[in-house]
Amino acid sequence: MKKAWWKESVVYQIYPRSFQDSNGDGVGDLPGILRRLDYLKELGVDVLWISPFYKSPGGDNGYDISDYQAIQPEFGTMEDFDRLLAGAHARGMRVVIDLVVNHTSKEHPWFIESRSSRDNPKRDYYIWRDGKNGGPPNNWGSNFSGSAWTLDETTGQYYLHTFGDFQPDLNWDNPAVRQEVFRMMRWWCDKGVDGFRMDVISMISKTPEMPDGERKPGSSYGSFAPYVVNGPNVHAYLQQMNREVLSQYDLLTVGECSGLTVDQACRYANADGTELTMAFQFEHMDLDGGESFKWNTRKIDLVELKALLTKWQKGLEDRAWNSLYWCNHDQPRIVSRMGDDSTPALREKSAKALALCLHMMQGTPYVYQGEELGMTNVPFGGLEDFRDVESINAYHELTANHTFTPQRMLECLRYKSRDNARTPMQWDSSAGAGFTTGTPWIMVNPNYTSLNAAEQLARPDSVFHFYQALIRLRHTHEIIVYGSYDLLLPDDPQVYAYTRTLNGQKLLCVCNLTGRPASFALPAGFAGARLLISVGDAPSLDGQVTLGPWDGFALLQDNAEL
Ligand code: GLC
Ligand code: CA
């Protein structure tokens, strides 16, 4: 397998709004991140992915950009960004920025021009259509509720927005749009950034016919997915981007690819390097979804999870490269979702077991801010505690059409809302959690008084130090990066166990991902193997291994008989 720095890295995602405020306005900012670089260095991560900090009206916390080459003043200045980039590089960490080019803000100058008249030269930068029968061009629903089309009175046509009405979709079929994006990307690369996380990149190419979509259950809208996700020209456009931009630099490029299949991933992230270096798939995050999209309080089934992640591990082997994640700014906290946050002890054990299970796999691990502390979901009260446009719109739509009662919808939001990931980073036990001296833009999780970085840095057996150890193991053991993966016990409802194999070495990772005791028969060939790390007490390593709730371990056998 070809080696690459981005295969050997661990990435840390920063959501700037919620990471560290430096001036007391309650909003995290770039100088705040700069102040915390030593913390990130101590954790040991190699790459920082920073979510959007560009000029933006903030309707989707920066995923609605009005100037790709300017900084939103509440996040700081371009000089602050340059200092941050230099500070990260000086500490040996790379910086990956968010590329949000499926859509812009409706305040982007391109859109302001585009909407001004039907014959404006930028008209074709966006996707405009005539209405049908006094309504929108088709029945597509937006990802943020309502129709995916909004009528613009000035010209009497509708523009497409797969997300909010303030996020018009760019028309990638227009070669001028592609050149604008490529020029902007080169500008950031020439500044020295080390890569891009590409927002909903699997959606940039739309089927021109745009037929009605199949009606979503409980909704009056149809799904655009078959005509938008992995659309007809997406690979051609990414190959062009690769030829004209990416291949000219040494970058980590990760596509956020909703609707990704293994076969599609082998194109987006193909080993020949003609498109991106890796992609995010969503299938494991969708395991607890269903009829009403993600809005429910269901639990992920472990046997299904094992089958699914194994499909990705085996399916991409030697053909593409996996991204490994439990958390990001769009997902609830994993310890509340799959672990147990009911007591501090169970919270820490389950956070560690989940981390171990993911970090011993093949692929590049992503750690989302606060995950390394085992940060949890948030005890939000009513709708007024939420800030996220997706959550608020869904609440209104799904209670108005009686899919859910308000009480039930709030339960779903408390479990699944993206705001669970977006409350301030818990640095210490002072008021404002060390995040801000002012009033935070979204509530702080009240558990900050005991769950915070300062407490964990001072305690050797903390979740922080466990993540630090996992990252260090990946840096010192090639088998964790490159070894091939094989699942054991596919039907065991409690234990996730797998091996990794490389050059005569074998690694065994075993995790009890339940709160009940479990037992595991040590496979032949691991007698006398070295314990790399464990959750809970070091196991006795012969015959039948007893695992307490959320216990786990990894073993390395140097002279494995293969
Ligand atoms: C991606 C982002 C999400 C955003 C959406 C629209 O899914 O991760 O936060 O709301 O795209 O840009
Ligand atoms: Ca601030």
Side-chain angles (χ1 to χ4, degrees), residues 487-506:
L487 182 69
L488 305 175
L489 306 176
D491 299 319
D492 189 301
Q494 289 186 268
V495 177
Y496 196 146
Y498 57 88
T499 59
R500 304 286 307 277
T501 306
L502 185 76
N503 303 331
Q505 280 194 322
K506 237 173 155 71

Side-chain angles (χ1 to χ4, degrees), residues 418-538:
R418 310 194 293 181
D419 278 339
N420 283 298
R422 298 177 178 185
T423 59
M425 177 72 179
Q426 294 167 205
W427 293 108
D428 59 43
S429 60
S430 67
F435 164 72
T436 186
T437 54
T439 307
W441 69 277
I442 186 171
M443 69 185 268
V444 176
N445 192 325
N447 64 15
Y448 78 94
T449 50
S450 56
L451 198 181
N452 61 64
E455 190 280 326
Q456 295 204 13
L457 283 166
R459 180 164 53 85
D461 70 348
S462 64
V463 180
F464 177 91
H465 285 114
F466 193 83
Y467 269 85
Q468 185 187 53
L470 288 174
I471 295 165
R472 207 175 279 147
L473 282 172
R474 181 165 286 259
H475 290 155
T476 48
H477 292 78
E478 230 176 23
I479 188 171
I480 299 175
V481 178
Y482 294 110
S484 63
Y485 163 106
D486 289 287
L487 182 69
L488 305 175
L489 306 176
D491 299 319
D492 189 301
Q494 289 186 268
V495 177
Y496 196 146
Y498 57 88
T499 59
R500 304 286 307 277
T501 306
L502 185 76
N503 303 331
Q505 280 194 322
K506 237 173 155 71
L507 181 147
L508 173 68
C509 180
V510 178
C511 303
N512 176 6
L513 294 185
T514 72
R516 287 165 284 123
S519 120
F520 173 80
L522 197 69
F526 281 97
R530 189 146 52 90
L531 181 69
L532 292 179
I533 190 166
S534 70
V535 185
D537 298 333

Side-chain angles (χ1 to χ4, degrees), residues 26 135 166 184 187 199 218 224 248 271 286 293 331 347 375 393 437 469 485 524 559:
F166 53 92
M184 174 271 284
W187 186 85
D199 194 65
F224 58 64
Q248 314 298 310
D286 293 340
F293 177 49
Q331 300 294 336
R347 180 187 78 219
M375 272 178 66
N393 288 357
T437 54
Y485 163 106
N559 303 302

Side-chain angles (χ1 to χ4, degrees), residues 22 29 43 89 168 175 177 208 243 245 298 308 310-311 524:
S22 71
D29 45 49
L43 180 59
H89 285 167
V177 166
R243 282 193 306 275
V245 186
R298 201 173 297 149
L308 194 137
T310 300
K311 176 184 83 176

Side-chain angles (χ1 to χ4, degrees), residues 232-243:
N233 295 316
V234 65
H235 296 290
Y237 296 158
L238 288 178
Q239 284 160 23
Q240 183 188 6
M241 178 195 284
N242 184 293
R243 282 193 306 275

